[in-house]
């Protein structure tokens, strides 16, 4: 059934009437939780009218009604980006258009109230649109796993995120400290050599932690034991909505293809350090101690393990972090999954870190420049 211009006038009036009822709510700061805001039924009805106005303005080129022409010109000029961004921008612009009309009709001349109303309405529209698109995402965990397993999946991915952030922190500190030893101490002398003992011990301990973390991440799952990527992959396959053949097939492609290959790559990288874990860290095997002591480790290996782990985690987290909320989604979009999800953002920033401050102290107070 085609929508006539008369229909659109009624729709516009209906939208403005709904906006007038919501105005007192929209114009003040909400104290409810995000979920409460999104579930406001009147706002959902208003959003439906907004979508109808967008559709009519973009698909009825014959309308000469000045209001529709103005809305159409605004949308055509401003809207860019992918599908979700386009819809969000259209909704925001149309909502602003309606709010301006309502202020004119109601005779409201309060710039501060107008700005507050617009910002709060945009925030609601942003979260609602984000939620609606999450429900359409292929392989998004809430669409892929049975509801009863959502909480457990979230706990698992939280744990892996914490482990990867800690892994990266150890890499960051070790890179700084080893660079200092290799590139500055070789050219200088320490006044007090005891100052180097702390650095060496810290590096040793960090290597031990990274060995344990690596072997845990790439351990082979055995029923309810040995949690790691292999365990999470099996959990996803066992907890998916098996009645949906499309989901089953999509997961089969993921777990049986790229993820399996990446996990195998990680296991190969961990093969030698697994011996250190088994024969030296977890238990002493006196028959293999000499063999273990001959193993040479460097940060390059741990960086490779970490990089493979981030790739696996991004796939197996089933877009949970990508669709967490709009702010987090945008951070990942512009700065990458690794930086936002798997690193300490403040530590990796451009400012002076705590280890930089410590090394500057050593440079200033405990280094003797090498004589020419």
């Amino acid at each position: 059934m085609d929508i006539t211009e008369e229909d659109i006038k009624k729709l516009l009036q209906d939208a403005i009437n709904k906006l007038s009822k919501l105005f007192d709510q929209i114009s003040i700061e909400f104290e409810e939780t995000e979920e409460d805001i999104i579930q406001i039924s009147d706002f959902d009805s208003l959003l439906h009218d907004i979508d109808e106005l967008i559709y009519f303005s973009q698909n009825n080129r014959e309308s000469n009604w000045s209001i529709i022409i103005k809305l159409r010109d605004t949308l055509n000029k401003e809207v860019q980006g992918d599908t979700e961004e386009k819809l969000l921008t259209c909704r925001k612009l149309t909502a602003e258009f309606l709010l301006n009309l309502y202020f004119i009709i109601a005779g409201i001349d309060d710039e501060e109230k107008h700005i507050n109303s617009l910002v709060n309405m945009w925030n609601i529209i942003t979260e609602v649109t984000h939620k609606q698109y999450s429900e359409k995402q292929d392989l998004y965990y809430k669409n892929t796993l049975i509801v009863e397993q959502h909480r457990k999946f979230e706990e698992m991915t939280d744990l892996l995120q914490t482990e990867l952030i800690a892994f990266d922190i150890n890499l960051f500190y070790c890179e700084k400290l080893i660079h200092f030893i290799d590139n500055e101490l070789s050219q200088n002398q320490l006044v007090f050599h005891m100052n180097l003992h702390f650095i060496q011990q810290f590096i040793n301990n960090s290597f031990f932690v990274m060995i344990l973390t690596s072997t845990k991440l790439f351990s082979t799952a055995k029923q309810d034991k040995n949690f790691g990527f292999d365990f999470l992959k099996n959990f996803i396959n066992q907890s998916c909505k098996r009645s949906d053949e499309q989901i089953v097939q999509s997961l089969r492609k993921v777990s049986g293809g790229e993820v399996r290959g990446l996990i195998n790559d990680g296991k190969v990288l961990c093969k030698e350090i697994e011996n250190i874990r088994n024969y030296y860290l977890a238990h002493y095997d006196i028959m293999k101690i000499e063999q273990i002591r001959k193993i040479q480790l460097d940060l390059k290996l741990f960086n490779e393990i970490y990089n493979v782990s981030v790739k696996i985690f991004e796939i197996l987290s089933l877009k949970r972090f990508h669709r967490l909320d709009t702010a987090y989604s945008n951070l990942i979009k512009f700065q990458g999954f690794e930086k936002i999800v798997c690193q300490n953002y403040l530590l990796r920033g451009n400012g002076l870190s705590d280890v930089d401050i410590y090394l500057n102290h050593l440079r200033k107070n405990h280094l003797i420049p090498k004589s020419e």
Side-chain angles (χ1 to χ4, degrees):
M1 178 178 172
D2 294 332
I3 301 177
T4 65
E5 196 165 290
E6 191 62 34
D7 291 331
I8 210 67
K9 287 180 180 179
K10 291 179 180 179
L11 181 64
L12 188 63
Q13 184 61 56
D14 185 50
I16 292 173
N17 289 339
K18 291 171 184 175
L19 189 60
S20 68
K21 293 178 182 178
L22 282 169
F23 177 70
D24 288 337
Q25 290 177 280
I26 294 173
S27 62
I28 61 173
E29 291 289 337
F30 279 103
E31 295 182 358
E32 296 97 334
T33 65
E34 178 183 302
E35 289 187 359
D36 291 334
I37 294 172
I38 291 174
Q39 291 173 3
I40 296 175
S41 59
D42 288 339
F43 189 84
D44 288 341
S45 179
L46 172 62
L47 197 58
H48 177 269
D49 289 351
I50 287 173
D51 288 343
E52 289 287 321
L53 285 167
I54 293 169
Y55 177 82
F56 181 84
S57 65
Q58 292 184 329
N59 290 278
N60 191 330
R61 299 291 174 181
E62 298 177 359
S63 176
N64 293 319
W65 191 21
S66 59
I67 291 179
I68 293 301
I69 292 172
K70 186 176 180 180
L71 177 59
R72 182 195 304 147
D73 290 345
T74 300
L75 295 178
N76 289 341
K77 183 172 65 176
E78 299 291 340
V79 175
Q80 296 178 350
D82 61 24
T83 305
E84 184 175 354
E85 287 178 334
K86 282 182 179 179
L87 176 59
L88 178 58
T89 305
C90 284
R91 283 177 166 180
K92 283 183 173 182
L93 290 171
T94 306
E96 182 179 8
F97 183 80
L98 289 172
L99 188 66
N100 291 340
L101 278 178
Y102 167 67
F103 267 60
I104 293 170
I105 293 169
I108 300 172
D109 185 18
D110 188 329
E111 185 175 354
E112 183 178 354
K113 186 171 283 190
H114 179 273
I115 292 172
N116 287 341
S117 302
L118 185 60
V119 170
N120 286 327
M121 187 159 58
W122 278 358
N123 288 340
I124 302 170
I125 290 173
T126 299
E127 293 305 328
V128 171
T129 305
H130 181 83
K131 182 173 180 287
Q132 288 175 342
Y133 261 82
S134 294
E135 292 170 354
K136 299 176 183 179
Q137 290 289 311
D138 183 39
L139 289 182
Y140 175 53
Y141 83 102
K142 287 187 177 179
N143 303 333
T144 303
L145 307 180
I146 59 175
V147 175
E148 294 78 8
Q149 298 290 25
H150 287 180
R151 181 65 180 273
K152 190 171 183 181
F153 176 81
E154 290 165 1
E155 291 171 351
M156 289 177 176
T157 48
D158 281 343
L159 175 58
L160 288 172
Q161 182 189 25
T162 301
E163 290 289 292
L164 287 173
I165 290 173
F167 200 141
D168 179 69
I169 290 172
N170 278 302
L171 283 173
F172 177 81
Y173 284 144
C174 286
E175 286 167 358
K176 293 275 187 180
L177 295 173
I178 291 173
H179 182 273
F180 174 77
I181 292 171
D182 291 345
N183 294 279
E184 296 189 50
L185 285 186
S186 60
Q187 302 297 321
N188 299 273
Q189 292 180 337
L190 271 174
V191 177
F192 301 108
H193 287 278
M194 285 295 292
N195 286 307
L196 192 57
H197 288 185
F198 166 75
I199 294 177
Q200 291 172 330
Q201 189 62 43
F202 181 90
I203 292 172
N204 287 340
N205 290 340
S206 291
F207 270 51
F208 290 159
V209 170
M210 288 189 287
I211 288 170
L212 291 171
T213 301
S214 299
T215 53
K216 284 189 293 183
L217 291 174
F218 290 98
S219 61
T220 300
K222 295 178 181 178
Q223 294 182 346
D224 291 332
K225 297 180 180 180
N226 296 353
F227 176 67
F229 292 131
D230 195 44
F231 188 105
L232 180 59
K233 177 173 71 72
N234 292 344
F235 173 82
I236 290 171
N237 289 331
Q238 293 165 6
S239 304
C240 71
K241 297 175 180 177
R242 294 190 173 276
S243 59
D244 191 322
E245 185 61 28
Q246 184 177 350
I247 289 176
V248 174
Q249 291 297 328
S250 296
L251 280 177
R252 193 170 292 162
K253 289 180 182 178
V254 172
S255 61
E258 185 178 3
V259 170
R260 179 183 292 176
L262 288 170
I263 290 177
N264 287 337
D265 291 344
K267 287 181 181 293
V268 170
L269 290 170
C270 290
K271 188 173 182 180
E272 200 165 40
I273 63 173
E274 190 172 1
N275 291 332
I276 301 176
R277 184 264 177 204
N278 292 339
Y279 305 136
Y280 184 73
L281 295 180
H283 315 280
Y284 285 128
D285 189 329
I286 198 65
M287 302 301 294
K288 303 209 176 180
I289 289 295
E290 287 304 315
Q291 174 189 337
I292 296 303
R293 285 176 176 168
K294 292 177 183 178
I295 297 175
Q296 298 293 317
L297 297 176
D298 59 33
L299 279 182
K300 181 182 177 182
L301 173 63
F302 290 115
N303 270 304
E304 289 176 353
I305 293 171
Y306 174 79
N307 290 334
V308 171
S309 299
V310 171
K311 291 178 183 178
I312 296 169
F313 187 51
E314 182 168 11
I315 299 170
L316 290 183
S317 57
L318 297 181
K319 301 180 183 178
R320 180 193 167 201
F321 298 98
H322 288 275
R323 307 301 304 177
L324 202 58
D325 57 46
T326 52
Y328 211 71
S329 295
N330 286 329
L331 284 171
I332 293 173
K333 181 177 180 179
F334 293 113
Q335 300 195 43
F337 182 86
E338 177 182 344
K339 188 171 185 178
I340 300 304
V341 180
C342 303
Q343 293 182 351
N344 183 310
Y345 185 77
L346 296 177
L347 190 67
R348 287 283 186 176
N350 296 323
L352 204 63
S353 67
D354 49 1
V355 69
D356 290 318
I357 294 170
Y358 169 71
L359 293 177
N360 284 342
H361 173 76
L362 287 185
R363 293 182 185 106
K364 181 178 180 181
N365 299 292
H366 299 284
L367 286 183
I368 303 174
K370 186 177 181 180
S371 57
E372 298 293 339

